[in-house]
Amino acid sequence: MIQRKALIFNIQKYNMYDGPGVRTIVFFKGCPLRCKWCSNPEGQLRQYQVLYRQASCVQCGACVAACPAGVHRMNAAGRHEIDESAECIGCRKCEKACTVNALAIAGEQRTISDLMDVIEEDRPFYELSGGGVTLGGGEVLMQPEAATSLLMACKQRGLHTAIETCGYARPEVVMQAAEYTDLFLYDVKLMDTDRHYEQTGVHNEWILNNLKCLLENRNNVMVRVPLLKGVNDSDQDLRQLIEFLQPYKEYRNFKGIELLPYHKMGVSKYAQLRWEYPVTGTPDLTDADLARIEDGLRQYRFPVTVVRH
């Protein structure tokens, strides 16, 4: 097995949402999109980051003494501050020095062997439930060599593999990963490229072309639509999605559509990163909204599931 390291920010066990059965999810750091509703903002940048829970801090200064990079400092009023111009090196000395858990470092270099050791711990659950391993993020395809190495290692050991992806990558990167991927959980956020740019910071031509390639290459794909009221829930948005997916509706490798209603599970992380939360208003969908969208898709005989976290 090729030994490479992956920069990850979380490993989540016993997941039941991101692929069939019980799964372990490995979250890769770095993403080319800046979705306003992102629930994993600590996964956006491909670098170490400090998450700071100000309400928990007791202003002891232990992190200042521990940090070799000068990220932490005490101001003239004796209050803890983070120097945003300083670069965290991921040593985690501040995290260990903090006795009240006010600090956490997002980002950790892990070898493929290390990750496989963690993944193998739950093999009995995978075998009993038909589960396996899902690579997510961030965007896993921003670390293609590490991702492919991990997928290869999983397949060599007979594990089911899935990728949760925004699809924004070079086609050759996507197709290389596809060789070792049993299922793609593929986000389609908006069909209109200009509106996609407004909400995510990138246009969607690569995303839609890669989705076509996967479906036409007979790779298994579940299309996932994160839904926000007033952003991508209109009848026009629904019609554009239907028109795009219509040619693939009868493909056996097209596994249907999952609707992911907006939630606020990641909002607190923005404050910990010292970032402003970009979503304004209340984009939550009502049960009636979801029923309308479900019914609209099912009229065209698309298999639809609503995933509620």
Side-chain angles (χ1 to χ4, degrees):
M1 182 175 63
I2 299 173
Q3 291 296 315
R4 289 196 174 93
K5 289 185 176 182
L7 182 61
I8 68 167
F9 65 94
N10 192 17
I11 300 175
Q12 183 184 91
K13 294 189 172 191
Y14 316 121
N15 177 281
M16 300 288 290
Y17 298 103
D18 298 291
V22 175
R23 311 192 69 80
T24 293
I25 305 184
V26 181
F27 292 86
F28 282 63
K29 214 167 183 321
C31 184
L33 274 61
R34 294 294 179 266
C35 302
K36 293 182 178 181
W37 57 88
C38 178
S39 60
N40 290 323
E42 76 278 28
Q44 291 183 9
L45 302 182
R46 195 172 167 180
Q47 64 189 56
Y48 301 110
Q49 291 173 278
V50 179
L51 286 90
Y52 171 49
R53 303 177 188 91
Q54 187 174 21
S56 300
C57 182
V58 295
Q59 312 301 328
C60 68
C63 58
V64 179
C67 179
V71 173
H72 304 276
R73 65 189 179 194
M74 305 301 286
N75 63 22
R79 306 288 295 178
H80 173 270
E81 290 182 341
I82 292 178
D83 184 351
E84 303 293 351
S85 67
E87 184 175 347
C88 176
I89 60 175
C91 68
R92 285 185 154 71
K93 291 181 179 179
C94 66
E95 187 180 80
K96 295 172 184 176
C98 182
T99 60
V100 293
N101 297 319
L103 296 170
I105 304 303
E108 183 180 12
Q109 293 282 355
R110 300 289 292 268
T111 67
I112 303 304
S113 292
D114 288 342
L115 292 172
M116 288 306 303
D117 288 344
V118 176
I119 289 166
E120 284 282 10
E121 290 172 357
D122 293 321
R123 179 181 282 273
F125 294 101
Y126 312 146
E127 293 175 347
L128 284 170
S129 67
V133 180
T134 298
L135 308 188
E139 172 51 57
V140 61
L141 297 179
M142 280 194 72
Q143 299 184 53
E145 292 185 349
T148 301
S149 293
L150 184 54
L151 291 166
M152 288 175 61
C154 289
K155 295 311 299 175
Q156 287 168 1
R157 301 194 193 186
L159 297 174
H160 182 277
T161 57
I163 282 181
E164 200 284 319
T165 180
C166 71
Y168 190 83
R170 297 192 311 276
E172 59 269 24
V173 168
V174 177
M175 299 315 296
Q176 181 183 32
E179 293 182 36
Y180 310 101
T181 303
D182 294 310
L183 175 65
F184 281 85
L185 304 169
Y186 202 103
D187 282 4
V188 176
K189 298 170 172 68
L190 281 155
M191 297 301 299
D192 182 271
T193 188
D194 292 330
R195 291 178 58 221
H196 193 281
Y197 181 85
E198 290 173 4
Q199 296 294 330
T200 71
V202 303
H203 292 283
N204 66 2
E205 285 83 1
W206 265 10
I207 294 169
L208 297 180
N209 286 336
N210 285 331
L211 178 54
K212 284 183 180 180
C213 287
L214 288 171
L215 289 168
E216 292 170 1
N217 197 53
R218 295 305 195 265
N219 297 103
N220 292 322
V221 179
M222 172 74 75
V223 171
R224 307 182 106 187
V225 184
L227 285 172
L228 290 85
K229 192 175 184 68
V231 175
N232 62 348
D233 68 323
S234 71
D235 291 341
Q236 180 180 355
D237 292 313
L238 187 64
R239 183 169 58 255
Q240 290 174 332
L241 178 65
I242 289 168
E243 289 173 355
F244 181 88
L245 293 176
Q246 189 75 21
Y248 311 105
K249 184 174 60 179
E250 304 301 330
Y251 282 29
R252 293 183 63 184
N253 60 303
F254 173 55
K255 300 302 181 181
I257 300 171
E258 288 187 341
L259 304 177
L260 311 178
Y262 170 77
H263 60 75
K264 298 179 180 178
M265 292 169 59
V267 173
S268 64
K269 299 177 186 178
Y270 286 82
Q272 294 174 33
L273 289 166
R274 287 82 57 206
W275 292 0
E276 182 179 351
Y277 187 56
V279 174
T280 58
T282 308
D284 306 78
L285 283 90
T286 65
D287 289 341
D289 293 326
L290 291 170
R292 170 181 58 82
I293 296 169
E294 276 189 272
D295 292 344
L297 291 168
R298 289 201 172 110
Q299 284 179 13
Y300 291 86
R301 295 187 295 116
F302 283 105
V304 184
T305 304
V306 178
V307 179
R308 299 177 186 271
H309 288 82

